[in-house]
Every structure is written in structure tokens, then in C-alpha cells.
Amino acid sequence: INDSEGHPSSSHQTLKGTSKWATSLESLLEDPEGVKRFREFLKKEFSEENVLFWLACEEFKKTQGKKQMQEKAKEIYMTFLSSKASSQVNVEGQSRLSETILETPHPLMFQKLQDQIFNLMKYDSYSRFLKSDIFLNHKKCEEQEENSPEAQTAAKRASRIYNT
């Protein structure tokens, strides 16, 4: 039996949703729904730019072609790093990052700044997120869905199928 990604499934169910998000910030950021909820939380804390910058850097690493990289690098710089940035992130060393480096972009040019923001989220916002109403309410909804009669009957049907 394989899971949805074709990997052999183990006897215990793979963690999903809030259970997975609670294991690490990395796991949370791998899940689109987790990112959505985390953004919602950060917006209330007036620090949504941190996760937006992190996501923009992840996307930037996948960019192909010098022209596209230059455009994306400039967009990231103007949105998050410039002194006139609309969603400025608070990172050390951003003053050393001048617009001249935007002319010769490379996939990891923002890595140090991205790591700073990741650590800021990991050791600050993430722990508060796990205690927030947004997270706890989502977790409660998931638990109610798992304990619903429909979910239980589906599980019973599945166990009958595989245990015969």
C-alpha cells in the first residue's frame, strides 16, 4: 500500500494538518494550508512580511534565466529590503545589500537574510502561533472531523477491507 505520493505507507497514519504543523516550522511551511493560517496569524501580529519574504526567496531560488532573476531580485529588494520598501523586513546587513548586486543575481543571493527571517519566525512567531486561537481553532475543527460518524465508518470500512 502506498500513500498519495507513492511512498510505502506505514502502519501508523502520516501526520497531517495541525499535527504536522506542530512538529516544526519547516513542516508548517511545506503545507499550503499551514502557510495560509500562519500568514493570517502574522498579519494580526503586524509581521506578515516575514513569511512573505521567506516565500519570495524560496520562489526566487527556482527562477531560471538571468533576465527573470534580475526582475525577481529587484522585486524582492524593492518590496522587502530597500529603505523605501512597502513591506520592509528587519534583517541585519540589509544596508550592505545594495542595488548593484541586483545586476548579477544568483539563486542564493538572499540566503543569509532569508535564514535570519526564518530563525526570527522559528524562535519568536512560530511558538506564539502554536498557542494562538487561529491554530487551536483549526486543530479543534480537525479533531471534530476525525471523530465524526462519517470518518469513523470510513475507517471501519477500510479496516474490514484490509483485515479480511
Side-chain angles (χ1 to χ4, degrees):
I1 303 171
N2 292 330
D3 66 13
S4 61
E5 295 171 350
H7 303 293
S9 63
S10 57
S11 57
H12 59 80
Q13 203 175 12
T14 318
L15 291 177
K16 292 191 263 195
T18 55
S19 301
K20 188 176 181 195
W21 305 348
T23 60
S24 69
L25 179 57
E26 291 88 337
S27 297
L28 170 75
L29 294 172
E30 287 170 2
D31 182 341
E33 183 66 22
V35 170
K36 181 180 165 188
R37 299 296 175 181
F38 192 48
R39 276 185 66 183
E40 198 178 315
F41 169 74
L42 290 176
K43 197 178 279 188
K44 287 183 176 187
E45 291 214 327
F46 303 101
S47 59
E48 183 188 21
E49 68 279 356
N50 291 337
V51 75
L52 294 176
F53 173 71
W54 188 89
L55 291 167
C57 291
E58 284 298 291
E59 197 59 38
F60 177 75
K61 291 176 196 174
K62 301 173 196 166
T63 305
Q64 302 291 314
K66 187 178 179 192
K67 184 95 174 100
Q68 287 89 336
M69 283 185 92
Q70 283 175 324
E71 287 170 10
K72 277 200 177 189
K74 186 174 170 87
E75 186 181 323
I76 289 172
Y77 180 81
M78 297 309 283
T79 306
F80 301 105
L81 300 170
S82 148
S83 59
K84 302 175 195 106
S86 55
S87 299
Q88 191 175 35
V89 290
N90 186 13
V91 287
E92 292 174 33
Q94 73 191 49
S95 55
R96 289 192 304 250
L97 188 70
S98 68
E99 288 187 55
T100 55
I101 103 160
L102 301 177
E103 298 306 313
T104 55
H106 59 88
L108 300 177
M109 67 188 280
F110 297 116
Q111 190 63 54
K112 282 185 179 165
L113 301 176
Q114 185 186 15
D115 290 346
Q116 282 183 38
I117 291 298
F118 179 85
N119 285 328
L120 178 69
M121 292 188 300
K122 183 175 183 172
Y123 297 110
D124 184 40
S125 314
Y126 176 64
S127 55
R128 285 196 310 278
F129 171 70
L130 295 178
K131 297 172 191 152
S132 73
D133 287 345
I134 291 172
F135 176 81
L136 296 172
N137 290 339
H138 195 74
K139 184 178 179 177
K140 195 160 102 181
C141 288
E142 277 182 355
E143 288 166 356
Q144 286 172 345
E145 285 174 20
E146 284 174 18
N147 295 328
S148 72
E150 296 85 25
Q152 289 175 356
T153 55
K156 284 178 187 169
R157 279 197 307 273
S159 70
R160 279 199 305 269
I161 294 167
Y162 294 112
N163 292 331
T164 51

